[in-house]
Amino acid sequence: MFVNVYEIMMYATPQFLTTITKDAKSQAILYKRGVMVMKKKRKSKFWFIVIALILLYSGYISVSLKGLLDSKKEQHADLENKITLQKKQGADLEKQMKNVNSDEYIEKMAREELGMVKKNERVYIDVNR
């Protein structure tokens, strides 16, 4: 028997609605304080569990991504420091390349690296060293 619930609610008392809805097996409709409430316990439990699982999973993902983001920020800072150091070394090498052909640089390298001396120059050796 198919009955339009809205037509029944317009003319029926709460006690009558309760007896009608107890007979319905698919849904239980209760009339409390002038408001119709639908009870769907199985579906509500299912959706509660699904939403809880989704929230737990999103929390887990956000925590793991936070850790990954922190490690990537640390890597980024390290790479920035390396870039700064490499730029400084490049500037020093550029400066050194400009001085390579000067007489002062050639003399300095000959004295320090090769141990050469000029004519008529006296060399003193420190024996304590």
Side-chain angles (χ1 to χ4, degrees):
M1 174 171 134
F2 294 102
V3 178
N4 189 351
V5 176
Y6 296 109
E7 289 178 7
I8 293 173
M9 285 185 58
M10 288 174 50
Y11 304 109
T13 63
Q15 292 84 12
F16 179 70
L17 285 175
T18 305
T19 56
I20 289 175
T21 56
K22 284 183 180 175
D23 295 335
K25 292 184 180 179
S26 62
Q27 296 178 353
I29 302 173
L30 296 176
Y31 193 76
K32 291 183 179 179
R33 296 183 193 141
V35 179
M36 184 175 64
V37 179
M38 310 246 327
K39 282 191 175 179
K40 298 179 182 179
K41 287 188 178 181
R42 286 186 183 171
K43 287 185 179 180
S44 65
K45 279 185 182 179
F46 171 75
W47 286 112
F48 177 77
I49 292 171
V50 167
I51 290 171
L53 289 175
I54 289 172
L55 288 175
L56 286 173
Y57 182 70
S58 63
Y60 170 75
I61 293 297
S62 66
V63 167
S64 65
L65 288 178
K66 173 78 169 111
L68 183 63
L69 180 66
D70 290 342
S71 68
K72 292 298 178 183
K73 281 183 181 178
E74 188 176 315
Q75 269 185 338
H76 180 68
D78 290 342
L79 290 174
E80 288 289 330
N81 290 338
K82 286 181 181 179
I83 287 172
T84 306
L85 182 65
Q86 291 295 325
K87 284 183 180 179
K88 186 183 271 187
Q89 286 178 349
D92 291 343
L93 288 174
E94 287 283 332
K95 186 177 178 183
Q96 188 177 3
M97 279 180 48
K98 290 179 183 175
N99 292 334
V100 166
N101 294 329
S102 69
D103 289 336
E104 294 101 22
Y105 182 77
I106 294 172
E107 183 179 338
K108 180 181 170 187
M109 285 295 129
R111 287 179 184 271
E112 290 176 4
E113 299 291 325
L114 302 174
M116 299 176 84
V117 292
K118 288 185 177 181
K119 282 185 179 180
N120 298 327
E121 189 176 49
R122 292 187 181 175
V123 178
Y124 295 98
I125 300 174
D126 188 9
V127 277
N128 293 332
R129 237 175 156 190

